[in-house]
């Protein structure tokens, strides 16, 4: 299989993310690594969010709801030039623009803070409804974890989005299968997210979420059905890209040691965008 | 008060095209005029209080001024985290409206009691908390709440409370003098003001003339007026239809301790207890000794001290 430029960049984002987790002494690598391709594809020209004009009314809105996994979001935003790469070494430090859970007061270019799970889709529905009422054709995207589909509020929001025919809304579920202390299949009775969303009135599609071509293809077809909200159920791997982290509950919390970091960087064959000079 | 709220909201929405209204499937026929006048700006989120808050907050983050409406217990306790995280923390202009706070729906049971709403909402940074006492007060305060352009909680009573006379208009953040007096001051918030005024009428017939203040704004507390008042009287009586923790009593007592209160401070209100027995509201007030009779008794005793 040949590697695209996007796949190359994915390796660099992963290396950067693991470096940040190491330097900032923050875990949550499972979810940060599982959504790298999703973030890269969204920010590879699909999302219309002009740099320096992140609050322009006509921009697309993006809510990263799985706040704990934000290291890779920060890495992608830095790589895309939304803020200097040098900021990355302030990840999870005091008074940082890049706290361990994203905060709009710390990083105002964001559309939403995140940390408490299950709010991202709801906020997105309110935005999408308000934008449409304004005659604004901007799209609203929420990226949530499969664990957030445990939250009842997610399904209140799913109901609302379908009943109001919010086809300006795209939900992406990072279905990496691993939660904080268990596996999502066990916690959700092995049920299908695509079927659930379909039965809630959504246009749903399941894709290989760590494959950039598949993600790009799905994004290019949004909205899947006119008059329905779209959801991409992205089948991903927790801790994707690093053999000894992949698909293990342990790496939800674990902070990489010096040794873990070196092994991961070696395996990825990539150099982090930035690392703390004096960690 | 509910009619006054609906009419005022509709009037304000006619003047401001950014005002929208979200209900948690409540207010049958109350908001028909709003719904008919402003299609799209009336949204029924369904029996889904979390989603009600998300809709209001998400729209507010896109420049709308939203009102989220439900029965007070379902508007506050049920979606508390949504209010905290999606409204108060991002400091969005959402006016949360809780209908029938306290024990207005007393016979419906504990599910419908909202005797902890002021505590819950006051605990949130950025949140302004208001409990009007009559139709005129909500009519005066609602535009002031929109002008805040930030998070607020406002309560609405039932249909058909009387409007009371006052010595001054209702100004957000300022205690409202309802009756001038001396020696003793009775202060309340929300529609318990009507009970206090009933007691006042009994007392004046006996030659007892206390001050009566309506503290419609629970947060921020008007400590300036309280400070002046505490210099003028011997006893301050706080009447509240709220649990003893976190409501008006708590706020006044907290301020009093910090400032070194020069007068006596009394509380009339429910105990730290769920209101069981499905009593009617007036029976409950009687049982827990914060009805007009109990208020008059407490004031009389304080007056003769």
């Amino acid at each position: 299989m040949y590697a695209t430029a996007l796949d190359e960049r994915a390796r660099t984002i992963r290396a950067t993310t693991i470096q940040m987790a190491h330097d900032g002494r923050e875990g949550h690598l499972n979810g940060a690594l599982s959504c790298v391709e999703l973030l890269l594809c969204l920010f590879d020209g699909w999302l219309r969010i002009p740099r320096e004009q992140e609050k322009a009314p006509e921009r697309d809105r993006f809510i990263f709801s799985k706040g704990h996994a934000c290291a890779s979001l920060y890495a992608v935003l830095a790589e895309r030039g939304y803020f200097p790469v040098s900021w990355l070494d302030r990840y999870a430090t005091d008074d940082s623009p890049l706290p361990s859970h994203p905060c709009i007061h710390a990083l105002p270019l964001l559309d939403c803070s995140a940390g408490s799970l299950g709010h991202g889709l709801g906020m997105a529905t309110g935005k999408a409804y308000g934008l449409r009422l304004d005659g604004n054709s901007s799209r609203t995207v929420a990226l949530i974890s499969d664990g957030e589909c445990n939250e009842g509020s997610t399904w209140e929001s799913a109901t609302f989005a379908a009943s109001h025919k919010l086809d300006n809304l795209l939900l992406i579920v990072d279905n990496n299968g691993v939660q904080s202390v268990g596996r999502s299949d066990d916690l959700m009775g092995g049920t299908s997210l695509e079927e659930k969303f379909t039965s809630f009135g959504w246009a749903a599609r399941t894709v290989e979420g760590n494959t950039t071509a598949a993600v790009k293809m799905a994004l290019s077809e949004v909205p899947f059905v006119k008059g329905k909200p779209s959801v991409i159920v992205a089948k991903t791997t927790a801790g994707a890209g690093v053999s000894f982290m992949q698909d293990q509950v342990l790496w939800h919390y674990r902070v990489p040691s010096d040794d873990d970091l070196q092994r991961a960087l070696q395996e990825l064959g990539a150099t982090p965008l930035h690392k703390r000079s004096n960690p | 008060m509910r009619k006054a709220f609906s009419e005022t909201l509709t009037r304000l929405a006619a003047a401001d095209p950014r005002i929208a209204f979200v209900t948690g499937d409540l207010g049958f026929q109350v908001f028909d005029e709003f719904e008919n006048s402003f299609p799209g700006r009336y949204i029924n989120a369904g029996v889904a209080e979390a989603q009600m808050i998300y809709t209001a907050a998400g729209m507010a983050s896109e420049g709308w001024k939203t009102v989220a409406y439900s029965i007070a217990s379902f508007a506050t306790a049920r979606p508390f985290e949504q209010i905290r995280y999606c409204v108060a923390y991002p400091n969005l202009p959402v006016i949360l409206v809780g209908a029938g706070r306290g024990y207005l729906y007393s016979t419906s049971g504990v599910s419908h009691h909202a005797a902890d709403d002021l505590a819950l909402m006051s605990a949130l940074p950025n949140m302004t908390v208001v409990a009007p006492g009559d139709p005129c007060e909500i009519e005066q305060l609602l535009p002031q709440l929109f002008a805040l352009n930030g998070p607020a909680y406002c309560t609405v009573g039932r249909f058909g409370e009387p409007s009371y006379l006052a010595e001054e208009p209702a100004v957000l953040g300022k205690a409202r003098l309802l009756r001038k007096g001396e020696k003793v001051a009775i202060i309340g918030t929300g529609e318990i003001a009507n009970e206090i005024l009933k007691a006042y009428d009994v007392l004046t017939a006996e030659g007892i003339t206390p001050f009566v203040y309506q503290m419609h704004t629970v947060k921020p507390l008007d400590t300036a007026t309280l400070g002046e008042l505490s210099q003028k009287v011997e006893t301050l009586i706080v009447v509240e239809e709220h649990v003893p923790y976190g409501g008006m009593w708590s706020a006044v007592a907290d301020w009093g301790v910090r400032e070194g209160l020069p007068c006596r401070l009394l509380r009339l209100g429910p105990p730290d207890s769920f209101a069981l027995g499905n009593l009617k509201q007036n029976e409950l007030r009687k049982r827990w000794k914060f009805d007009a009779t109990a208020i008059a008794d407490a004031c009389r005793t304080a007056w003769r001290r």
Side-chain angles (χ1 to χ4, degrees):
Chain A
M1 200 166 136
Y2 81 103
T4 65
L6 216 49
D7 296 326
E8 292 287 344
R9 284 169 50 203
R11 276 204 294 279
T12 302
I13 295 298
R14 287 202 161 84
T16 308
T17 301
I18 298 166
Q19 182 77 49
M20 288 164 69
H22 169 270
D23 295 353
R25 309 297 300 154
E26 271 290 326
H28 299 130
L29 277 172
N30 264 349
L33 295 175
S34 64
C35 65
V36 169
E37 282 77 10
L38 302 173
L39 289 168
L40 276 174
C41 291
L42 283 169
F43 281 95
D44 194 42
W46 193 88
L47 277 174
R48 294 177 293 238
I49 305 176
R51 278 177 287 269
E52 313 293 335
Q53 302 168 52
E54 294 94 354
K55 293 293 151 187
E58 64 278 9
R59 77 191 187 282
D60 289 334
R61 272 58 166 178
F62 177 59
I63 297 176
F64 184 84
S65 186
K66 35 181 278 173
H68 57 281
C70 63
S72 56
L73 169 72
Y74 293 152
V76 169
L77 290 174
E79 192 232 24
R80 296 280 81 195
Y82 286 97
F83 51 76
V85 164
S86 62
W87 283 20
L88 295 177
D89 68 11
R90 296 176 64 192
Y91 171 58
T93 58
D94 290 356
D95 294 320
S96 169
L98 311 180
S100 65
H101 292 79
C103 170
I104 53 167
H105 303 291
L107 189 63
L109 69 86
L110 297 175
D111 278 309
C112 219
S113 301
S116 176
L117 300 178
H119 297 320
L121 176 58
M123 286 299 282
T125 61
K127 282 178 172 287
Y129 185 94
L131 288 167
R132 189 180 64 186
L133 194 56
D134 247 347
N136 184 325
S137 60
S138 298
R139 300 166 300 182
T140 302
V141 180
L143 174 58
I144 72 172
S145 66
D146 46 10
E148 293 189 82
C149 296
N150 297 171
E151 294 278 6
S153 61
T154 294
W155 301 101
E156 290 187 17
S157 305
T159 303
F160 180 89
S163 94
H164 289 281
K165 302 179 169 41
L166 296 178
D167 60 6
N168 57 345
L169 172 67
L170 168 65
L171 173 67
I172 303 178
V173 184
D174 181 3
N175 189 192
N176 66 27
V178 174
Q179 303 196 184
S180 178
V181 289
R183 290 190 175 266
S184 44
D185 260 358
D186 295 339
L187 292 159
M188 293 192 270
T191 49
S192 154
L193 285 170
E194 181 175 329
E195 283 174 19
K196 281 187 203 174
F197 278 103
T198 303
S199 72
F200 271 71
W202 287 56
R205 194 172 293 186
T206 301
V207 306
E208 291 301 323
N210 291 127
T211 306
T212 51
V215 176
K216 284 207 134 187
M217 170 71 83
L219 286 176
S220 72
E221 290 170 10
V222 169
F224 300 140
V225 176
K226 197 168 162 33
K228 286 187 177 190
S230 301
V231 55
I232 295 175
V233 178
K235 291 284 182 193
T236 59
T237 302
V242 180
S243 60
F244 64 92
M245 292 179 177
Q246 278 188 180
D247 199 34
Q248 294 173 51
V249 177
L250 170 73
W251 283 96
H252 178 84
Y253 285 116
R254 185 175 161 126
V255 174
S257 65
D258 294 348
D259 184 49
D260 292 332
L261 173 66
Q262 292 317 316
R263 281 171 66 205
L265 293 182
Q266 197 163 27
E267 188 180 322
L268 287 163
T271 309
L273 290 168
H274 188 75
K275 65 178 175 183
R276 220 176 269 187
S277 47
N278 192 11
Chain B
M1 212 190 305
R2 222 163 286 186
K3 187 160 175 284
F5 167 64
S6 168
E7 286 175 359
T8 307
L9 179 66
T10 304
R11 185 165 47 75
L12 294 171
D16 185 346
R18 303 304 295 172
I19 291 177
F21 176 82
V22 190
T23 172
D25 201 33
L26 284 166
F28 180 62
Q29 293 183 341
V30 182
F31 301 101
D32 284 1
E33 196 192 338
F34 188 103
E35 183 179 6
N36 296 331
S37 307
F38 315 111
R41 289 158 63 190
Y42 171 93
I43 302 138
N44 184 355
V47 191
E49 291 77 12
Q51 182 59 35
M52 170 182 79
I53 302 298
Y54 291 145
T55 307
M59 289 180 75
S61 75
E62 295 299 340
W64 293 90
K65 299 173 192 170
T66 51
V67 172
Y69 176 88
S70 187
I71 286 178
S73 61
F74 311 138
T76 55
R78 180 67 182 249
F80 182 72
E81 214 237 353
Q82 277 79 16
I83 300 165
R84 173 179 178 271
Y85 198 74
C86 301
V87 176
Y89 168 41
N91 203 12
L92 290 171
V94 175
I95 302 176
L96 189 61
V97 176
R101 73 154 307 277
Y103 301 112
L104 185 74
Y105 295 114
S106 64
T107 56
S108 298
V110 170
S111 58
H112 287 58
H113 300 169
D116 50 12
D117 59 332
L118 304 178
L120 288 169
M121 294 300 107
S122 296
L124 296 172
N126 294 334
M127 188 66 83
T128 297
V129 179
V130 168
D134 80 342
C136 296
E137 225 159 64
I138 196 154
E139 197 179 322
Q140 293 178 65
L141 290 169
L142 195 57
Q144 298 179 54
L145 288 173
F146 276 110
L148 274 179
N149 210 30
Y153 172 61
C154 177
T155 65
V156 184
R158 57 186 168 84
F159 285 95
E161 293 97 339
S163 283
Y164 42 70
L165 294 172
E167 297 286 340
E168 53 194 27
V171 178
L172 188 65
K174 194 164 178 335
R176 186 182 191 203
L177 179 62
L178 300 186
R179 299 289 182 270
K180 284 183 195 158
E182 56 184 328
K183 230 172 145 182
V184 176
I186 314 174
I187 61 180
T189 191
E191 53 81 53
I192 200 76
N194 296 288
E195 209 65 23
I196 296 173
L197 290 173
K198 267 189 238 166
Y200 177 88
D201 289 344
V202 171
L203 292 164
T204 46
E206 300 169 18
I208 298 172
T209 52
F211 284 100
V212 177
Y213 272 92
Q214 162 71 340
M215 306 287 284
H216 47 70
T217 307
V218 178
K219 186 190 169 187
L221 189 70
D222 180 4
T223 53
T225 300
L226 279 175
E228 288 164 24
L229 188 60
S230 66
Q231 300 288 342
K232 289 185 213 158
V233 299
E234 292 165 13
T235 308
L236 257 180
I237 303 174
V238 177
V239 187
E240 64 174 354
E241 188 158 299
H242 192 280
V243 293
Y245 301 100
M248 175 58 68
W249 160 255
S250 238
V252 172
D254 179 88
W255 159 80
V257 169
R258 272 186 283 127
E259 297 298 313
L261 200 62
C263 64
R264 286 202 322 146
L265 189 58
L266 300 178
R267 172 184 185 267
L268 302 178
D272 176 22
S273 174
F274 286 112
L276 304 179
N278 291 47
L279 269 66
K280 288 182 183 63
Q281 188 180 26
N282 56 348
E283 286 303 315
L284 194 62
R285 286 172 171 177
K286 194 169 156 190
R287 180 175 291 183
W288 278 341
K289 298 189 169 51
F290 63 101
D291 64 341
T293 306
I295 296 166
D297 287 347
C299 192
R300 208 177 279 119
T301 306
W303 185 269
R304 287 173 186 157
R305 242 177 124 248

